[in-house]
Amino acid sequence: MTRHVAHDLALAPTRDETAAQDFVSTLRAHVLNDMAASMKARYEARVAPRMAPGADGRAILAAMRHEPYFRFYSAVRVKAQEMVWASVRPTVERDAERLAARAAELSADRTRAEGTLRLDPELPIPRNVSALDVHLMPGNYHFDGGDGDLRAGALYENGLSVFSFGLMGESLDDIGCSIALWLKLRHPEFRPADILDLGCSVGHQTLPWKRAYPDARVTGLDVASPCLRYAHARAQALGLTAHFLQADATAVPLPDQSQDLVFSSMFLHELPVEDIRAVMREAWRLLRPGGLMLHYELPPNEALSAYDGFYLDWDSHFNAEPFYQGYRDLVPADEVARAGFDRARYFHAAIPSLGWYGEEAVRAAARASGTIGSDHVGRLADGVLWFVYGAWK
Amino acid sequence: MSRLPPLPERARGARPTFFDDPAIDTLVAMLLELAQEHYVARARLAALEHWAAHEVTGARLPYSEAYRLPPEEEARLADMRAAFVRRLMAPIEQV
Ligand SMILES: C[S@@+](CC[C@H](N)C(=O)[O-])C[C@H]1O[C@@H](n2cnc3c(N)ncnc32)[C@H](O)[C@@H]1O
């Protein structure tokens, strides 16, 4: 159920705070598993027969808005989302100074790892971050109270533990671990020397690359300084050398053809379309020939039924994710080609969660062709499969 | 927090509402706060009972351990929590 953060930056919640977090996790699991299944059954029994043929996700939302069940599902889910952050914020605030001091020690301790942190206080924060609080996280990723402040990173990591009710793995890195294993199995000849993770936040999916390719130089990039401070300290705590860089992924301050793998996770859907395109052009520029651009993302609308599209877009309308639906309307293969990649070298795949299904399932997926035939793809609920796509340069 | 300005308490922007009368959205939110607080009290009670049982048998625990439940009792509490949330939400299945 709830996996509480357990490395050196772990907070010290009171028993009441832990209980409050556990309650929110259980509530979310109920909403996203049980209520989601009930809602779909009601849709099929009561709403689908009235829908015009070819109705899309938007039409389904318009119809569902009148359904009492959808209203309860949504009202509970919005409140549960607020409760995620409210349940960890007091602990983060109380522990902030201790956490900052511990982070400084970890950073200085070169016997653990030799990671670096490069912040750029002059960097303009893009409006997709500065102008809103994505998924209702108060202060968003970038709220920076000054030197050494890593509270936004702590809020994000501890909140995500509550939010994901165990589905993201012990270290919240199931996405990265599953994908890195899949890539190694599918392309054993590919040995990246330089790996870049765009929009890395606190580095959850950055570090699995260092585990998978220990000789590689692994860099995580983000605009949010408090998340990067936390990412750096967390990597040091886990004994993995990684380099964190404050920069905008639409204009990466790294040389042409300096990377072999340009990765992102849960990132592109938080950007306006023009920035998504700029990021992909940057990936093309940064990659050496033979390199790989790889994104973990929500599956695109074209790959889903209208109902699943409606279901995933809930966040876009009600969870302060204004770019989510616009992102999912794009066709990944078109975007990849627009950025300069050869369309023939585009691929996508649904990778079983390593934590949920185990290694054998990832091996089987690595042998299979990339089809997306399940409503578990990209949906945070029991039995999730992670959707990835990419292209070789 | 002494040195740092406090983190904002609430995310920016208005929350969406779903019912014809938005007072129902408000009531749902209030009910969930109440349910959470109820569970927090239940969890605390479970810890106290565990501690009291040790007191009665004379098996004194160090203070830091007293309120921590052993894994099997944590698991029982987790089951109770899941059952509680199901009961709390069960009326919605009737709408
Ligand atoms: C959902 S989080 C990513 C989570 C992380 N990649 C993972 O999988 O664990 C999105 C991140 O993108 C960052 N971000 C948003 N716009 C950005 C931009 N233009 N350049 C770099 N980072 C950006 C945000 O600060 C935030 O940390």
Side-chain angles (χ1 to χ4, degrees):
Chain A
M1 181 38 66
T2 329
R3 307 273 167 89
H4 297 283
V5 172
H7 51 69
D8 271 47
L9 297 173
L11 301 174
T14 64
R15 184 153 178 101
D16 284 6
E17 287 165 354
T18 304
Q21 295 170 13
D22 288 342
F23 175 81
V24 180
S25 273
T26 301
L27 180 63
R28 277 195 37 89
H30 182 79
V31 174
L32 292 153
N33 289 317
D34 306 50
M35 289 187 80
S38 270
M39 186 161 77
K40 185 166 188 189
R42 276 150 205 272
Y43 167 76
E44 276 162 2
R46 295 178 21 181
V47 180
R50 302 192 256 114
M51 298 301 297
D56 62 4
R58 288 169 169 85
I60 294 179
L61 173 62
M64 289 295 276
R65 270 196 170 270
H66 301 287
E67 288 293 309
Y69 198 91
F70 172 80
R71 293 173 172 188
F72 274 110
Y73 168 92
S74 299
V76 172
R77 196 168 158 190
V78 168
K79 179 60 183 171
Q81 184 72 25
E82 292 197 288
M83 290 169 93
V84 163
W85 309 114
S87 74
V88 296
R89 183 182 171 283
T91 327
V92 170
E93 285 290 45
R94 197 180 51 242
D95 271 359
E97 295 287 354
R98 186 182 61 81
L99 216 56
R102 185 74 193 111
E105 287 166 14
L106 286 164
S107 177
D109 184 354
R110 311 312 286 170
T111 61
R112 285 184 177 249
E114 296 179 280
T116 60
L117 173 66
R118 222 168 87 205
L119 297 181
D120 174 5
E122 305 303 315
L123 183 78
I125 303 296
R127 277 190 55 77
N128 62 299
V129 175
S130 68
L132 71 160
D133 288 339
V134 179
H135 28 63
L136 305 184
M137 176 166 133
N140 209 6
Y141 302 107
H142 66 297
F143 182 90
D144 191 343
D147 212 16
D149 185 4
L150 36 70
R151 288 172 301 169
L155 190 66
Y156 176 75
E157 170 157 62
N158 288 276
L160 192 62
S161 294
V162 174
F163 173 92
S164 56
F165 46 98
L167 296 177
M168 310 270 270
E170 287 295 339
S171 309
L172 300 170
D173 58 358
D174 189 81
I175 293 171
C177 293
S178 307
I179 295 172
L181 175 63
W182 176 87
L183 184 64
K184 278 190 80 160
L185 291 167
R186 195 164 173 95
H187 296 284
E189 73 295 347
F190 181 58
R191 294 217 187 77
D194 292 278
I195 300 176
L196 178 63
D197 179 13
L198 300 173
C200 67
S201 263
V202 301
H204 285 144
Q205 322 314 329
T206 316
L207 300 185
W209 295 110
K210 186 65 185 172
R211 286 212 171 87
Y213 300 103
D215 297 333
R217 180 183 170 89
V218 173
T219 304
L221 176 152
D222 204 286
V223 291
S225 46
C227 285
L228 291 168
R229 289 188 188 107
Y230 190 91
H232 170 55
R234 182 178 175 277
Q236 293 290 111
L238 296 171
L240 291 163
T241 294
H243 306 283
F244 291 94
L245 172 63
Q246 187 179 17
D248 192 315
T250 61
V252 177
L254 293 172
D256 296 0
Q257 304 201 2
S258 59
Q259 306 297 317
D260 302 294
L261 173 60
V262 175
F263 173 76
S264 84
S265 163
M266 299 189 281
F267 171 51
L268 297 175
H269 71 257
E270 293 191 4
L271 303 178
V273 170
E274 60 275 23
D275 287 5
I276 295 169
R277 292 182 174 155
V279 168
M280 290 208 190
R281 285 195 301 273
E282 277 296 79
W284 168 260
R285 176 183 72 76
L286 289 161
L287 282 174
R288 300 186 177 110
L292 173 65
M293 173 175 81
L294 186 64
H295 302 290
Y296 161 67
E297 258 306 340
L298 299 157
N301 268 320
E302 55 144 16
L304 297 180
S305 71
Y307 184 85
D308 289 335
F310 146 77
Y311 186 81
L312 282 185
D313 282 338
W314 187 93
D315 287 87
S316 195
H317 304 291
F318 309 122
N319 201 23
E321 291 268 15
F323 304 110
Y324 201 105
Q325 185 169 35
Y327 169 73
R328 293 195 339 88
D329 285 339
L330 299 177
V331 176
D334 292 350
E335 297 308 318
V336 163
R338 187 195 295 274
F341 293 86
D342 178 356
R343 183 184 282 271
R345 309 207 64 200
Y346 167 87
F347 64 88
H348 62 223
I351 300 175
S353 156
L354 183 59
W356 186 270
Y357 294 100
E359 191 171 325
E360 201 34 58
V362 179
R363 282 182 192 282
R367 288 191 299 265
S369 62
T371 50
I372 314 169
S374 157
D375 66 1
H376 289 298
V377 177
R379 184 193 276 203
L380 192 68
D382 292 353
V384 64
L385 297 138
W386 309 119
F387 175 73
V388 295
Y389 67 88
W392 298 91
K393 181 168 173 179
Chain B
M1 254 343 300
S2 48
R3 187 172 59 89
L4 300 167
L7 289 170
E9 275 184 42
R10 231 180 108 76
R12 288 170 283 176
R15 296 301 165 270
T17 58
F18 300 93
F19 293 95
D20 295 333
D21 183 347
I24 299 179
D25 294 274
T26 307
L27 288 170
V28 167
M30 289 170 69
L31 201 66
L32 291 175
E33 286 286 344
L34 189 63
Q36 183 184 41
E37 198 54 31
H38 168 75
Y39 172 71
V40 168
R42 281 295 299 258
R44 177 173 273 227
L45 199 57
L48 280 170
E49 282 170 349
H50 175 66
W51 173 77
H54 279 85
E55 282 288 293
V56 169
T57 58
R60 299 200 67 105
L61 292 166
Y63 181 79
S64 60
E65 288 298 309
Y67 292 101
R68 194 168 304 147
L69 295 177
E72 62 281 6
E73 284 194 42
E74 274 301 346
R76 210 170 30 236
L77 197 60
D79 288 345
M80 179 240 125
R81 183 170 71 237
F84 168 53
V85 167
R86 271 197 305 278
R87 271 200 325 281
L88 181 70
M89 297 291 149
I92 302 175
E93 299 302 316
Q94 309 307 316
V95 302

